[in-house]
Structures are given as C-alpha cells and as structure tokens.
C-alpha cells in the first residue's frame, strides 16, 4: 500500500475515524507516518495527531515545518492545541504560534500554556458559548450563533457580567420561549457548578462524575470565566489516575507501557526492586542477629516465607482498601475506629490462618507444641500489626498531602517483611525461652 | 435538625443537589433516612435513591410501599429505574411495576430487566430520540419535540427504518436548514457508531472513550435500535473496572469499601490470605526437603526473604504491565518478542541487584565466595524467571477468556515465592556441590 497509490490511500483514510488512523500510524515507522500526515488534509490529521503516542507525535512534528504545524493547530480545539505546543521544543514554539492564521486562536493557545498541566487550567479549552447578562435575547441568539461555530459541542450557555465574571447559565428552552427584547439577567439560572483554574484534575473528575456533568466552567481567582472542561477530557483523567494507582501498587514508578524501550522500563522498575532488595538484606541481618534461635531451632527458619508472605498480603489488602476509600472520599469517622476495626479483622483472619497452620505444621512437619505455639502466636500478631500499619500509613500520607497510593506495593510489603520477621523471632525467643 | 422542623428541612434539601442529599442520607440511620425520603418530593428523591449506597437503598425501599416505590421509579430514566427494580425482592417487583402510572415507562423498565447487568443491554436506557427514514422534516420535528420531553439530554437523533433498524443519525443543523417537505432518508448521515446488546461494558467504554462519544446507540441481534448508553454511565463503568483491577491486584476478592462490615471484609480478604498461606507452607516443605543444604550452610537461610521478596516484586511488576497493556489494547506483536524483552530486562535488573547484593553480603555478612556466587546466580535466575512467568500468565489467561487481572496480586506472588525458593536451593546444591 505504502508506495504509490496515494489517491487510494487518501480515499481509504478519509473514510476512517481519526482514532483508527492514529492506531495505524502508531504502527508505522517515522518516515511512513510523516508521509501519511502530510498526505491527508489537516482537518483530519490534526485530530489524528492528538490521538498518537507521545513518541510518535514528537517524531512526526520534528519532520514538519512550523507552518505545517501551525496549520494543524489551527484545526484543533485550544486545549488539544496547547497540549501539543507544550511538547514542542522551546525555540520553535514562537515560530509556530506566529504562523497560526487565526490570531484569536493563537492568543487562546498562548493563554492556556500558562497553566500547569496538572490543574483544571491545564485541562480546559477556551471554546465555549458565553453571553453577557445585559444583552437582550435577540443579541444573545445572534452572538451565540457566531460563537457556536468554533465550539464542537455546546453543552451549556454561560452567563457573565461586564467584567466577565461567571453569573450563571442559560437554558436553551427559556431562551427560545422568551420574547426577543427580554434581558438575559431576567431569565438566567444563577446556580451553576464551577471549578477554579488551580483545582486538581482528580477533584474536577470527582465533581463532574458526582453531579453527572458533561461540561463544567472554569473560573479564575476573582471568578472570571476563563474556560470549560468537557467530560471526554475527564474520562482520560480518570483512566490515567487509575493506571497510575495500579502501577504504583505494582511497584512501577513511572508511567510506562508494555511497548516502551527496555531502558525506560528499567528506569521505572529498578528503583522499587532496589528498595525491596534492601528490605531483604534487612531481613537477613535480623535473622542473622537471632543466631541462638537459629542454631537451637532450625525448624523455625522454614516458616520464614510463610510469615513474610502473610505479612505482605495483609498489609497490601489493608492499604489498598484505605487508598481507594481516600480516593473515593468514602473514609469517614475517626482514624481510631478504623484501626479498631482492622484490629478485629486481623484477629479473625489471624485466628483462622493460625488454626489451619497449627494443624498442618503439627501433622505434616511434626513440630513440637512449643514451635507450633510460637508459629501461631506470631501469625496472629503479624497479621494484626500488618493490618494496622497498612491502614495507618495511607491515612498518614494523605494527611501530609502525599498521594497515599505510594504506600501500597513495595513500601508496605518491604516494611511488613522486616517487621514480620522481627516479630516472629522475638516471639520465638520469649516462647521458647532462649 | 431531625425532630420537628420539616419545612426548614425541605427548604434546605430542595436547594441541594441530589448527590449531596444522598451523601447526607448515607450517614443517617434507617428511620431518619426513610423519613427524609418520604418528606421530599419524588422528583428529587428518585435521583437521590440512585446515588445511595446499595445497603442504605435496600433498607429504605424496604420501608416504602409498592405505590411509593412506583412513584419514585416513574421519575427516573428507564436504566436507573431498571437497576433499582432489579435489586427488589422478586415477590414485590410485580406489584411495584403494576403501580407505575405511565404504562409505556413500565414496559420499558420490564424490557430492560431481561438484559444481563454486565452487558450493553444492562447499561442502556430506553430514552432516546429516533425518527423514521420515510418521515418528512416537518413530521420529524413534531415527533422529536414530543420524544425529547422524556429525554434528559438529547445528544443524537437516530434514524430507523420501518422495522426499527438503525440506519444512521441526523444532524440538527441539517434538519433545521432543509425544507420541511424533504424526506429524512435524503438527509441523514448513514455512518453511526453502535454496539450490540450483548457487548461487554468494558468494550463499550473502550469504544466510547476511543472515539470521544457522549452517547452510543445499542442495537439487538438483527440491528434494531433498542436503547442508548450515555457517557455518565460509562464513567461509572471505567471507575468500577479500575477499582476491581486494583482490588484484585491487592488480593481482595469482592467489591468492598472501607466502611463495610467486618464480616463482608473478612469474606473478601480471607480467601487470598489462605492461598498465600498454602504458598508459605509449600515454601516450608521445599526448604525442609533441602536438609543437607540447611545443615551445612545455614547462612543460606538468612537470604530466603531476599530471594522471596525479589521474586514477588518482579513478578508483580511484569504482570501489572501486561494486565494494563491487555486492558488498553496496547499489547501488539508476538508473545515470543515480549518474553525476549522481559528476558533482557530481567538480565539487566538482575545484574544490577546481584552486584549490590554481592558487595553487601561479602562485606557485611562475610559470606564465602561460593555462597556469594550462589546468591548472585540465584538472584539473576529468579528475576528472569519471575519476569517471564509474570508476563506469560496474563497473556495465557487472556487467551483463555479469563480476566488477566486475577493474575496479579497473591497468585503471582505466591507462585513466584515457591519457584524462587526452589530455584535458590537447587542452585545452591549445584554450586556448593552437596
């Protein structure tokens, strides 16, 4: 397909959805990808660009002239355009911006560049329909028609005062059923959900999904309407958040995907393995320091993996429940009540596990009663303490303003490994009277 | 507040968003909650009911008469109403349905009950705007106005043929700029994304978020338009999916929240702890079977936690990347290439870890060269094998139609614990020549 048949290719691609075209281009090499992007019309390729993998997009944009990039940006909504401009090398940003034909569009993009990517300001688009409260219905309809040209989906009509302060929203039905000379200020709905430009994307996502909103206006520090965020951007935020939490729980420290380079994957994975390694070394020194126990009761050592695995599993379960509870705002009440609940839970789970282990160790490993007692007491203690640590750490981190998701995964597991082994041998020392 | 001041309470609650009212009611006891639901108007309370916690809603509905429940359902969209009816005890469903005033609404709800909750059919609502292809523009506008009354957000106008088969969609602009006698079949857009009633919710979510859709029509096996799914329901699906994967990775087998009862939490957590326990017992038997190694080189035992933690961490990392890749459809190419990549990754990570451990064990634990060599060879081998297992298992499960997310968490960890220890002692036997 790639070689000559340009017209066939164009015809084929024009019929496809841009998200599908992007998937195909992600699979091609750099030259082929650039070739196709140059071949297609910019109203199609601009959308394709937003859907591409970061690396692929960077490579393609590197092969386009400032003028060509400007053309693509001209077709995009301001939020998508600003995201792409933000990825360009600094020295060509100015050139690209100056090539954008629509000066107002260019101004909006530059405005958006000012906002931190991880705020509502970084997510919002400038495209929206707004009317002034002192207009009458006739002016309003005329202005709206002009504004709506640039807006893909209208969703809501926002009402602002002379200073651009967000006052409320307008119902389309009210607008159409009122006489043309009525003033907007007499018919608008003054209640409208909004978020500040500095709000975190997760918070915006929470608000929009709680109230089932499809778009939300964004206001600056003094209440002026500066943009709006639509639900499709929020869907991306929710997915990224979930992916990030999941990766953190699995001990992956950067946002990586299966097809990333070995080098990138190593950078994401090695740090956590090294933390785990130091945990293992720590456990080794602890065991080593209990030489007396080791030499007198070597049988105790064969149960070290059991203690360790149990401590790790309980810790991860407890912390995962807390991390999710904190993320969904369903954690209520005093922390002391939560800890008491985890204590009770640990006691029940620990008792069940201990009874099973007691039977197995007694019959399968012929351990003495004292060894079995040591094992069972250690298991119950370890389970309770691991549950308490797993519950407390996320709450503690959250209170300190740190994302509690870092607590799950290797940190909790490693900490609990060491604690678990320390508890196990300490209890052995007491029970066995060494 | 609770005692007498009904009018104040009503005034207060009427002004609040239903999602906020639901949050307050979740905190109250059953009697108070029922009292408030009965106090407020059903147009408000119906929405509140959909937002409540399952247990709270069940308790409240248990206190309402069939007639009262029917009133609430009458105010709801068919999809939300069907979800609530689906939770009612079988013996009162019929009574409730027969009390619903609007018979068509009742029919739609009953229709929706037929679909499995975990399909597109179970997600969709009956509310939509559809027009027949042989209508002219005038009839169409009239019909649309009537239909739109029942639809909260219109999104799209769907075009069907005489048999209700979905043919395409209509652009509002085209409709308004065409003469009133034009037939719909001459102006509709024949290309429209759709999903089948039996499609899985995750697939619907993927399609809608890939193509940035805000609503998608649902068709039955022979292409008839039976409902539509809106983006707000999909946001819930995405969040639930993410929560489920996260909980599975953490070894929690049911959908639980921090405030659930101890009994429910135990049922969700204990099964995985028992699996982990059997893993620990398995590890104990393996160590026990290497008595010769144990008695001659007890120092090897102190590094068991290190081997185990490393195997577990690597396995979880590899499987998490695969699970996410499979969920996002970003895993491409041959499985053999993925395994080769993991092999290379394991080699690099393993080498780094081994060198650090070599230095620490030599200087801090004064291990002999042979012991250090055993440890390093074992670490590299364990890391590589754990990475391969972690990569292979999710792919294997996915190919068998099982959710690969079950692979992460305790299963991989437990499996790798046992493998890791087996490899460690086997290598020790060979290197130390026992």
């Amino acid at each position: 397909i790639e070689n000559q048949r340009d017209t066939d290719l164009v015809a084929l691609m024009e019929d496809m959805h841009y998200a599908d075209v992007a998937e195909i281009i992600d699979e091609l090499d750099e030259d082929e990808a650039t070739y196709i992007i140059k071949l297609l019309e910019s109203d199609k390729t601009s959308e394709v660009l937003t859907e591409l993998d970061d690396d692929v997009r960077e490579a393609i944009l590197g092969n386009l002239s400032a003028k060509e990039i400007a053309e693509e940006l001209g077709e995009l909504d301001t939020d998508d355009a600003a995201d792409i401009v933000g990825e360009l090398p600094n020295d060509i940003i100015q050139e690209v911006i100056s090539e954008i034909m629509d000066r107002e569009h260019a101004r909006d993009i530059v405005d958006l560049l000012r906002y931190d990517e991880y705020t509502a300001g970084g997510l919002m688009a400038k495209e929206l329909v707004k009317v002034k409260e002192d207009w009458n219905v006739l002016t309003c309809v005329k202005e709206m028609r002009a504004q709506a040209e640039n807006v893909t989906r209208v969703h809501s009509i926002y009402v602002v005062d002379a200073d651009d302060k967000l006052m409320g929203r307008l119902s389309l039905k009210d607008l159409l059923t009122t006489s043309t000379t009525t003033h907007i200020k007499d018919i608008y709905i003054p209640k409208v959900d909004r978020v500040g430009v500095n709000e975190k994307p997760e918070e915006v996502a929470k608000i929009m999904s709680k109230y089932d909103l499809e778009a939300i206006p964004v206001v600056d520090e003094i209440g002026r309407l500066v943009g709006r965020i639509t639900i499709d951007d929020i869907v991306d935020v929710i997915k990224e958040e979930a992916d990030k939490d999941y990766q953190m729980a699995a001990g992956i420290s950067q946002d990586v995907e299966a097809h990333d380079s070995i080098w990138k994957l190593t950078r994401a994975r090695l740090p956590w393995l090294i933390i785990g390694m130091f945990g293992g070394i720590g456990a080794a020194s602890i065991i080593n320091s209990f030489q007396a126990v080791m030499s007198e009761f070597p049988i105790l050592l064969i149960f070290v993996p059991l203690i360790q695995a149990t401590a790790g599993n309980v810790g991860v379960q407890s912390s995962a429940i807390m991390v999710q509870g904190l993320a969904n705002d369903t954690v209520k009440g005093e922390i002391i009540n939560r800890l008491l609940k985890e204590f009770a839970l640990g006691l029940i789970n620990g008792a069940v596990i201990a009874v099973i282990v007691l039977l197995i160790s007694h019959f399968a490993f012929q351990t003495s009663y004292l060894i079995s007692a040591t094992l069972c007491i250690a298991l119950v203690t370890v389970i309770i303490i691991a549950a308490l640590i797993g519950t407390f750490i996320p709450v503690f981190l959250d209170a300190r303003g740190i994302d509690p998701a870092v607590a799950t995964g290797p940190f909790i597991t490693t900490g609990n490994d060491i604690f678990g082994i320390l508890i196990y041998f300490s209890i052995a020392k007491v029970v066995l009277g060494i």
Side-chain angles (χ1 to χ4, degrees), chain A:
Chain A
I1 302 181
E2 193 58 56
N3 277 338
Q4 315 291 358
R5 299 168 48 199
D6 283 2
T7 40
D8 288 6
L9 205 61
V10 171
L12 181 72
M13 297 261 173
E14 286 296 335
D15 256 7
M16 292 169 71
H17 191 281
Y18 56 81
D20 294 318
V21 178
E23 264 186 13
I24 295 173
I25 290 183
D26 272 341
E27 296 297 297
L28 300 176
D29 70 33
E30 192 184 320
D31 292 337
E32 293 170 335
T34 312
Y35 181 76
I36 291 190
I37 292 289
K38 288 192 178 185
L39 194 63
L40 298 177
E41 292 294 325
S42 65
D43 59 337
K44 184 80 158 210
T45 52
S46 59
E47 298 287 353
V48 172
L49 282 175
T50 63
E51 297 284 329
L52 286 178
D53 243 31
D54 297 2
D55 326 345
V56 180
R57 179 167 54 235
E58 201 186 318
I60 294 178
L61 291 179
N63 291 333
L64 297 183
S65 69
K67 200 172 152 63
E68 283 167 323
I69 298 176
E71 251 171 53
E72 306 282 357
L73 298 179
E75 295 286 340
L76 286 174
D77 279 354
T78 46
D79 55 341
D80 295 326
D83 288 344
I84 290 184
V85 172
E87 288 172 11
L88 292 174
N90 271 320
D91 48 320
I92 72 160
I93 288 184
Q94 213 177 341
E95 199 184 336
V96 168
I97 296 283
S98 67
E99 290 279 0
I100 296 176
M101 302 291 280
D102 178 346
R103 294 321 294 160
E104 199 186 335
H105 193 61
R107 244 192 329 269
D108 284 345
I109 295 173
V110 173
D111 275 353
L112 288 181
L113 286 178
R114 281 195 304 117
Y115 297 103
D116 182 347
E117 198 185 337
Y118 300 104
T119 62
L123 273 182
M124 71 187 183
K126 286 285 183 178
E127 283 84 2
L128 51 79
V129 176
K130 67 176 177 189
V131 298
K132 294 223 187 313
E133 57 171 356
D134 55 357
W135 289 351
N136 63 29
V137 169
L138 189 66
T139 328
C140 180
V141 171
K142 243 189 273 169
E143 286 284 338
M144 271 172 55
R145 205 167 284 157
Q147 292 179 26
E149 291 253 305
N150 300 315
V151 182
T152 323
R153 288 166 185 143
V154 173
H155 291 294
S156 284
I157 306 155
Y158 301 115
V159 179
V160 294
D161 70 5
D163 295 328
D164 239 9
K165 252 174 90 167
L166 178 66
M167 305 303 289
R169 65 190 172 82
L170 204 55
S171 135
L172 201 58
K173 213 193 274 171
D174 288 345
L175 189 67
L176 298 178
T177 55
T178 324
S179 101
T180 51
T181 52
T182 314
H183 277 77
I184 298 300
K185 61 164 149 284
D186 300 322
I187 55 169
Y188 78 80
I189 303 155
K191 243 181 69 175
V192 58
D193 292 295
R194 65 191 70 189
V195 292
V197 273
N198 298 317
E199 194 65 85
K200 277 190 285 185
E202 303 96 274
E203 285 303 315
V204 181
K206 260 188 223 172
I207 294 169
M208 290 185 71
S209 72
K210 180 173 167 190
Y211 298 128
D212 285 343
L213 304 175
E214 298 192 339
I216 196 165
V218 181
V219 295
D220 68 6
E221 289 79 355
I222 53 169
R224 286 180 306 185
L225 177 63
V226 288
R228 75 159 182 176
I229 297 173
T230 48
I231 186 79
D232 51 316
D233 295 321
I234 290 304
V235 168
D236 295 340
V237 169
I238 292 173
K239 280 166 69 176
E240 274 166 30
E241 267 306 294
D243 280 359
K244 204 184 70 191
D245 284 0
Y246 186 78
Q247 294 199 327
M248 272 207 256
I252 299 168
S253 61
Q254 292 179 2
D255 183 23
V256 288
E257 286 179 51
H259 58 74
D260 280 330
S261 70
I262 288 185
W263 169 232
K264 199 170 169 195
L265 284 166
T266 300
R267 267 188 312 172
R269 291 167 60 163
L270 195 54
W272 290 100
L273 291 184
I274 291 178
I275 292 172
M277 184 207 73
F278 279 109
I281 297 281
S285 353
I286 291 172
I287 301 178
N288 208 27
S289 70
F290 285 93
Q291 286 289 351
V293 182
M294 269 176 70
S295 51
E296 272 190 69
F297 301 95
I299 187 88
L300 282 176
L301 282 168
I302 73 168
F303 294 109
V304 164
L306 171 64
I307 297 285
Q308 191 187 353
T310 308
N313 287 345
V314 172
V316 169
Q317 287 182 337
S318 303
S319 61
I321 288 184
M322 282 315 283
V323 168
Q324 276 198 332
L326 291 168
N328 299 333
D329 276 341
T330 54
V331 176
K332 284 145 192 162
E334 290 291 311
I335 170 75
I336 187 75
N337 292 332
R338 291 252 6 112
L339 291 176
L340 283 175
K341 194 168 175 186
E342 280 294 322
F343 184 87
L345 252 170
L347 206 59
I348 296 171
N349 287 345
V352 175
I353 298 278
V355 168
I356 303 177
V357 169
L358 183 69
L359 294 175
I360 295 179
S361 67
H362 185 72
F363 289 106
F365 295 93
Q366 272 90 39
T367 52
S368 71
Y369 287 110
L370 273 183
I371 297 286
S372 296
T374 303
L375 197 52
C376 290
I377 297 173
L379 274 172
V380 175
T381 317
V382 162
I383 288 178
I384 291 175
I385 292 184
L388 295 181
I389 293 178
T391 304
F392 182 71
I393 302 274
V395 176
F396 175 80
L397 291 179
D398 192 54
R400 288 274 168 295
I402 303 169
D403 184 349
V406 300
T408 47
F411 268 128
I412 289 272
T413 326
T414 304
N416 279 344
D417 280 1
I418 296 180
F419 265 106
I421 290 168
L422 188 59
I423 292 166
Y424 178 47
F425 282 102
S426 306
I427 288 175
K429 242 181 147 166
V430 174
V431 174
L432 302 171
I434 307 162

